[in-house]
Amino acid sequence: MTIDTEIARWCSRPIDTGHPGWILTPLVLGPEGVPVVTDAEQATAAPEGVVLSAMAHGQGDAAEAIGVAFLAAAAGLDQERRTMYGDLVLSSLNAAARRTLEAMMKAGYEFQSEFARSYVAKGQIEAKAQDVLTFLEARGLEVPAEVRERVLASTDLAELDRWIRRAAVVSDARELLATNGS
């Protein structure tokens, strides 16, 4: 299996084994053997097919449509497959398709899949955590490792918002995590 057409062509060449009448013809799955899946219903019915489609065709013109189809399919997946497949799909799509999907998210497009919503939320959480640390550092405060780790480990947007506000007034980064202020 390969996503490269030339490699698929090379690997599928018959191999003469030297034994009369025994020629090995390898079975190779290349991009031509993988359908382009852009239909949400088809993707939902066969989520592995849309993942393979992204891997085989995610650098082409259909990348954005494949990504949107995957987001629809992700809603019906268990958390483990949603995460693993999501990582594969996102890493397989070209940069333009990833930017378009991100722009759709910012424009208020309401994704139906839990995967898409969790992907957006994860990005917001990571950005806010970085904002807390940046604010403290911009104020010239030293950020100890335990504070940095706690901030980066937070998954609570409300907590991170409180920490951003506190980062403006604390005199020591450790005060950020004080229970009376979190």
Side-chain angles (χ1 to χ4, degrees), residues 46-66:
E48 290 78 10
V50 75
V51 172
L52 285 174
S53 182
M55 294 170 68
H57 308 290
Q59 295 300 308
D61 295 338
E64 178 185 325
I66 293 168

Side-chain angles (χ1 to χ4, degrees), residues 1 42-56 58 63 66-93 98 101 113-116 118-119:
M1 183 171 170
Q42 183 182 5
T44 301
E48 290 78 10
V50 75
V51 172
L52 285 174
S53 182
M55 294 170 68
I66 293 168
V68 172
F70 171 76
L71 292 176
L77 298 174
D78 59 81
Q79 181 63 40
E80 183 179 355
R81 286 193 308 159
R82 184 171 43 246
T83 301
M84 181 176 57
Y85 291 175
D87 286 346
L88 275 170
V89 168
L90 289 172
S91 67
S92 298
L93 297 179
R98 283 194 303 271
L101 291 176
S113 77
E114 181 60 32
F115 167 76
S118 67
Y119 181 73

Side-chain angles (χ1 to χ4, degrees), residues 16-33:
D16 186 350
T17 63
H19 189 323
W22 284 55
I23 296 178
L24 175 65
T25 304
L27 300 175
V28 178
L29 178 61
E32 292 83 14

